[in-house]
Amino acid sequence: PGGELGRDLDANVDRINRLLGYGESYDVILRRFRVAGVEIAAYVINGFFDSLVNLDMLRQLSAAEAEILGAQSGRPPEERAAPGNRTRMLRALLSDKLAYSQVTVVHDFEGAVRELLSGPMIILVDGETGVIVVDTRIYPDRNPSAPDIEHLLRGPQDGFVENIIINTALVRRRVRDPGLRFRMVQVGKRSHTDVAVTYIEGLTQPDLVREVERRLGAMDVDGIPMTEQVLAELLTGQSWNPFPTVRMTERPDVAAVNLLEGHVLVQPDTTPVALILPVSLFQLLQHPEDYHVAPALGTYLRLMEWYAVIWAMLVPPLWLLVATHPGIRAQIPWLSFLGPKKPSALPLPLQFLLAELSIDVLRRAILNSATALATTFGILGAVIVGDVATKAGLFTPETLMYLVGAAIASFAISNLELGMALRLARITLIVLEWLLALPGIVLGLLFWFLLAARTDSLGKSYLWPLVPFDWVALRSVLVRLPVQSGVPRPRQVHPLDRWRRAH
């Protein structure tokens, strides 16, 4: 639907009613009034307003009527009888004197309907083509609480929610820079989902902001119901590549830190997740806990993160290589303790693959179960996979030990999506070792390295600061430096203000 609204109120109401299915959809509410002899119609969507707000609106309409009648009483009869006189006064009063923070006027039919479906009240006045939009909306939401994934022992315990208004306020509370901007766009031809492009003017590279807005504007989709992942794929062109090319966070403090580094934040409505762009592989391995402990402890935690990456990806296939090739143990005596002590009915590579599938099935069962049953499923799965299967001879204890260690390491990685990508890389390395032994592992590692090297995030290198090499930036991501060291902002995003200031 498009075009301007006419001046006939009945025709405008009939047009909106037919489009929205008034009388069929229970949540479309229409009230018609007569104020100072002028017909008006007000539309709201049930669930997006408070009854007290409606009562207050009625009081203001009554006050507007009294003001109009009072203003008319002192005018000559011929002026009071002029066509559209009261209509113009009513529209002016509604536009200028309604006690709400956001009152606007739209003139096109499509814009009026979109505003209504977004939550505000729209008011149509007989004889006027402009529709008055009063932002009286409230959204169903929950209070900010600590995220389940990026949990901290010490530090802020608030997180994003499904309401974009609250989420932008959580960011504004932490970044009171007058240059902080929230540019609102709508994505989806049918869903019209609100998406805020957030950045700091005077710090963030303008070309980066324009590129994000261009890609959002070019999204030709009906809607984005799975909001954050759909946006991530459409923004970065990600297809079958498992490496995450955006950083997703539910923490306002993480979002604020990245804004101050010169990144762009994409905040979609209806999800508690914000997207940080662009990112590199090294930045995905940083955890907010690193900044809530002393620099020495933060450095230790970062090194532990890399230890988890190596264990999650390489230890199982390397153990499998040594365990299935006695010649390697003979050449390297200190590896002689590796390998199963008891024979098993299944080949070791097949044991690894079955155990991988069993762990993922168990994880999915826990996610799909009620909270009261999750612990029971966890214990039951551990008993079946860890004890019964071992005693039955399906798995050797060493296989389970190394694979469970790799699974724990995957969950220890800060970024959930990266941990899952490394799990997929581990499975491919196990299969290639089974087929080609050591050359298979080498080929697998080369494949994943080249895939990471070919990956980009908004045109930025995914392996920065390793490729291209930047020692200052590489040191800052590997080591948690003290704040007073004055670490520069990442060159990757080309910030307009390069240096942070510690004092």
Side-chain angles (χ1 to χ4, degrees):
E4 292 189 355
L5 288 163
R7 295 184 180 275
D8 189 334
L9 179 64
D10 291 331
N12 292 335
V13 168
D14 182 64
R15 189 178 177 187
I16 293 177
N17 288 348
R18 283 187 285 107
L19 179 65
L20 299 182
Y22 176 72
E24 301 175 21
S25 297
Y26 83 95
D27 61 337
V28 180
I29 299 176
L30 166 64
R31 290 295 305 275
R32 300 190 65 161
F33 305 93
R34 179 178 290 272
V35 178
V38 180
E39 289 281 346
I40 67 173
Y43 281 94
V44 290
I45 299 296
N46 194 10
F48 285 169
F49 70 95
D50 193 330
S51 298
L52 294 178
V53 174
N54 273 5
L55 291 175
D56 185 58
M57 179 67 70
L58 291 174
R59 294 192 192 98
Q60 295 190 38
L61 288 175
S62 299
E65 180 176 24
E67 187 168 346
I68 291 174
L69 294 176
Q72 294 282 357
S73 62
R75 297 189 177 187
E78 61 275 8
E79 184 177 342
R80 281 183 287 175
N85 184 43
R86 290 189 178 185
T87 302
R88 286 192 296 272
M89 292 192 66
L90 175 61
R91 181 193 174 205
L93 286 171
L94 291 175
S95 301
D96 300 338
K97 297 191 176 182
L98 282 178
Y100 291 92
S101 58
Q102 295 184 24
V103 179
T104 57
V105 178
V106 297
H107 293 273
D108 62 295
F109 181 77
E110 184 178 1
V113 172
R114 186 183 304 124
E115 290 287 351
L116 171 63
L117 295 177
S118 298
M121 173 186 291
I122 65 171
I123 300 175
L124 293 82
V125 181
D126 190 26
E128 291 291 331
T129 59
V131 177
I132 300 167
V133 180
V134 186
D135 197 353
T136 60
R137 61 185 155 182
I138 59 171
Y139 284 141
D141 55 34
R142 57 185 174 90
N143 292 326
S145 58
D148 291 330
I149 296 178
E150 301 169 283
H151 190 68
L152 288 180
L153 295 178
R154 178 179 294 137
Q157 300 299 317
D158 58 346
F160 290 133
V161 295
E162 290 76 12
N163 188 328
I164 191 173
I165 299 174
I166 296 178
N167 293 342
T168 54
L170 289 172
V171 174
R172 176 73 74 177
R173 183 183 179 189
R174 288 168 168 81
V175 183
R176 299 181 181 179
D177 192 308
L180 182 63
R181 300 287 185 266
F182 298 98
R183 288 191 182 178
M184 194 70 72
V185 298
Q186 291 187 331
V187 177
K189 292 182 177 180
R190 294 185 180 274
S191 68
H192 298 291
T193 305
D194 292 325
V195 178
V197 179
T198 308
Y199 65 97
I200 300 178
E201 188 171 320
L203 171 60
T204 309
Q205 176 59 240
D207 291 340
L208 187 59
V209 178
R210 284 193 290 269
E211 179 62 17
V212 172
E213 292 182 330
R214 184 191 69 80
R215 297 193 181 198
L216 286 173
M219 291 181 182
D220 187 14
V221 292
D222 280 349
I224 48 174
M226 303 299 180
T227 318
E228 68 282 347
Q229 183 57 36
V230 175
L231 280 178
E233 293 179 16
L234 294 175
L235 277 170
T236 61
Q238 184 182 29
S239 55
W240 292 101
N241 188 342
F243 285 119
T245 49
V246 302
R247 182 177 181 181
M248 300 184 186
T249 183
E250 297 183 35
R251 299 193 60 89
D253 53 343
V254 173
V257 167
N258 281 272
L259 284 173
L260 292 171
E261 287 185 348
H263 293 266
V264 175
L265 191 68
V266 177
Q267 296 180 266
D269 196 15
T270 73
T271 180
V273 178
L275 282 62
I276 300 169
L277 294 159
V279 294
S280 70
L281 178 66
F282 292 86
Q283 292 169 327
L284 293 173
L285 293 172
Q286 297 182 14
H287 193 276
E289 188 181 16
D290 301 349
Y291 294 93
H292 289 279
V293 295
L297 296 176
T299 301
Y300 166 74
L301 292 177
R302 290 194 179 179
L303 296 177
M304 182 195 69
E305 186 100 4
W306 283 101
Y307 170 77
V309 169
I310 294 173
W311 187 286
M313 185 173 179
L314 286 177
V315 169
L318 289 178
W319 179 87
L320 186 60
L321 175 69
V322 175
T324 55
H325 293 79
I328 297 178
R329 285 177 288 173
Q331 295 178 1
I332 309 177
W334 57 273
L335 295 179
S336 58
F337 70 96
L338 296 177
K341 304 302 184 289
K342 296 180 181 180
S344 173
L346 298 176
L348 288 180
L350 186 57
Q351 291 183 39
F352 269 102
L353 295 178
L354 289 177
E356 288 274 9
L357 291 176
S358 300
I359 291 176
D360 283 332
V361 168
L362 178 61
R363 182 178 68 89
R364 180 58 64 89
I366 293 175
L367 288 176
N368 292 339
S369 303
T371 304
L373 298 176
T375 303
T376 303
F377 270 113
I379 297 174
L380 184 62
V383 170
I384 293 176
V385 177
D387 186 44
V388 177
T390 303
K391 290 180 178 179
L394 293 177
F395 300 139
T396 62
E398 291 87 350
T399 299
L400 289 180
M401 182 188 73
Y402 284 100
L403 194 56
V404 169
I408 294 174
S410 297
F411 291 115
I413 294 172
S414 300
N415 187 271
L416 176 65
E417 293 78 18
L418 181 59
M420 297 178 69
L422 293 179
R423 189 180 313 152
L424 182 60
R426 178 175 71 242
I427 292 175
T428 59
L429 291 177
I430 290 173
V431 172
L432 289 172
E433 192 284 330
W434 190 6
L435 299 175
L436 302 173
L438 180 59
I441 295 180
V442 174
L443 288 175
L445 290 176
L446 183 62
F447 167 78
W448 287 105
F449 177 79
L450 291 178
L451 181 61
R454 288 174 56 88
T455 303
D456 68 87
S457 177
L458 283 187
K460 310 298 181 181
S461 173
Y462 196 62
L463 294 181
W464 180 89
L466 187 62
V467 180
F469 186 74
D470 185 339
W471 165 245
V472 175
L474 183 62
R475 182 189 60 172
S476 68
V477 296
L478 293 177
V479 179
R480 162 43 172 111
L481 297 173
V483 176
Q484 58 268 29
S485 60
V487 181
R489 293 186 173 91
R491 195 186 302 273
Q492 175 199 30
V493 295
H494 303 289
L496 301 182
D497 185 1
R498 178 84 170 97
W499 294 95
R500 299 185 179 103
R501 293 163 181 81
H503 57 273

